[in-house]
Amino acid sequence: MAAQATFRSIKSVIPLFDRVLVQRFKPDTKTASGILLPSSVTNNPLPEATVIAVGPGAPDKNGKVVPTSVQSGDRVLLPGWGGNPIKVGEEEYFLFKDSEILAKIKE
């Protein structure tokens, strides 16, 4: 596993270029009826996340900046791999390239 960066405040992390800062949804530790789920089930990260911050975009081959396809507050579908982990206190966030995000989830 890659080294994990640790910060005091998530506001100190400003994504560059086409990077997107997300926080994955946490799996439920209990069923609706109150049964506790084993850690082998709850340790797998869910593929859904909330976008926390986005970079301004990356330049294309002509030098024109192409903005990211998601915005802060969007719900997104992530691949099962990748992303750079960032730790803020007990919370874990990830930086992904905009092109690695699979889909935007509409409510």
Side-chain angles (χ1 to χ4, degrees), residues 25-41:
F25 291 152
K26 294 181 178 146
D28 290 332
T29 56
K30 281 193 225 184
T31 64
S33 61
I35 298 171
L36 291 174
L37 298 171
S39 63
S40 61
V41 174

Side-chain angles (χ1 to χ4, degrees), residues 1 6-7 9 13 15 24 30-32 42-43 46 53 55 63 65-66 70 72-73 91 93 96 99:
M1 185 172 180
T6 304
F7 299 91
S9 167
V13 181
R24 288 184 184 266
K30 281 193 225 184
T31 64
T42 60
N43 280 346
L46 293 175
V65 174
V66 178
V70 295
S72 220
E91 296 293 321
Y93 300 85
F96 281 89
S99 61

Side-chain angles (χ1 to χ4, degrees), residues 1-101:
M1 185 172 180
Q4 191 173 51
T6 304
F7 299 91
R8 292 179 190 216
S9 167
I10 196 60
K11 292 181 186 215
S12 64
V13 181
I14 301 167
L16 298 177
F17 300 108
D18 61 343
R19 300 296 194 280
V20 178
L21 180 67
V22 300
Q23 185 174 31
R24 288 184 184 266
F25 291 152
K26 294 181 178 146
D28 290 332
T29 56
K30 281 193 225 184
T31 64
S33 61
I35 298 171
L36 291 174
L37 298 171
S39 63
S40 61
V41 174
T42 60
N43 280 346
N44 296 330
L46 293 175
E48 292 180 43
T50 301
V51 175
I52 304 301
V54 297
D60 64 12
K61 64 182 179 182
N62 298 320
K64 181 182 176 205
V65 174
V66 178
T68 56
S69 59
V70 295
Q71 297 176 2
S72 220
D74 284 348
R75 285 181 55 193
V76 294
L77 185 65
L78 300 173
W81 47 266
N84 294 76
I86 296 173
K87 194 93 165 167
V88 179
E90 294 300 311
E91 296 293 321
E92 191 170 45
Y93 300 85
F94 292 87
L95 273 171
F96 281 89
K97 288 187 94 171
D98 186 44
S99 61
E100 294 173 340
I101 294 174

